[in-house]
Amino acid sequence: MNIIAKGTILYYINKYPKAKTSLLTWYYEFSKVSFNNFNELKQVYGNASIVADNRVIFNIKGNDFRLIASVNFRQLAAYIIWFGTHAEYDKIDSAKIKFDAKILDFKK
């Protein structure tokens, strides 16, 4: 899958250093595979859930963190909408949260 805006990953590993290894592992693994539909993705990522508009929720670092990605199976592409701790995830609406475009301005 083509993951759009790698800078988003860099932003989140800077914000959540404890998730760095797990998030980078997810990124590199997910970049090397292609899924034609959610059922194929679910075979590899058994804990993944799908919500509105092809948003897929991934557990990262066990269940300490959650990642929300918009996955376009037809184009074999995805972009990260949101990443945070499980406690932070419980406070948001995963179907409606918007990508914070300010993340794209992040410079390490």
Side-chain angles (χ1 to χ4, degrees), residues 51-78:
V51 294
D53 300 324
N54 284 331
R55 289 178 176 215
V56 179
I57 314 300
F58 295 92
N59 294 329
I60 304 293
K61 196 174 184 282
N63 201 19
D64 294 347
F65 295 89
R66 294 283 177 97
L67 180 141
I68 303 172
S70 177
V71 180
N72 184 323
F73 294 103
R74 187 175 210 171
Q75 298 294 321
L76 301 176

Side-chain angles (χ1 to χ4, degrees), residues 84-95:
T85 66
H86 193 132
E88 291 168 330
Y89 175 83
D90 288 341
K91 296 175 184 172
I92 65 164
D93 183 342
S94 59

Side-chain angles (χ1 to χ4, degrees), residues 17-34:
K18 290 181 179 181
K20 179 179 180 177
T21 301
S22 298
L23 189 54
L24 286 174
T25 299
W26 174 88
Y27 174 82
Y28 290 118
E29 287 176 354
F30 199 76
S31 301
K32 293 178 183 177
V33 294
S34 297

Side-chain angles (χ1 to χ4, degrees), residues 33-52:
V33 294
S34 297
F35 302 107
N36 294 308
N37 55 54
F38 179 71
N39 289 334
E40 289 180 7
L41 185 149
K42 185 82 169 162
Q43 289 177 351
V44 175
Y45 296 96
N47 290 325
S49 311
I50 194 163
V51 294

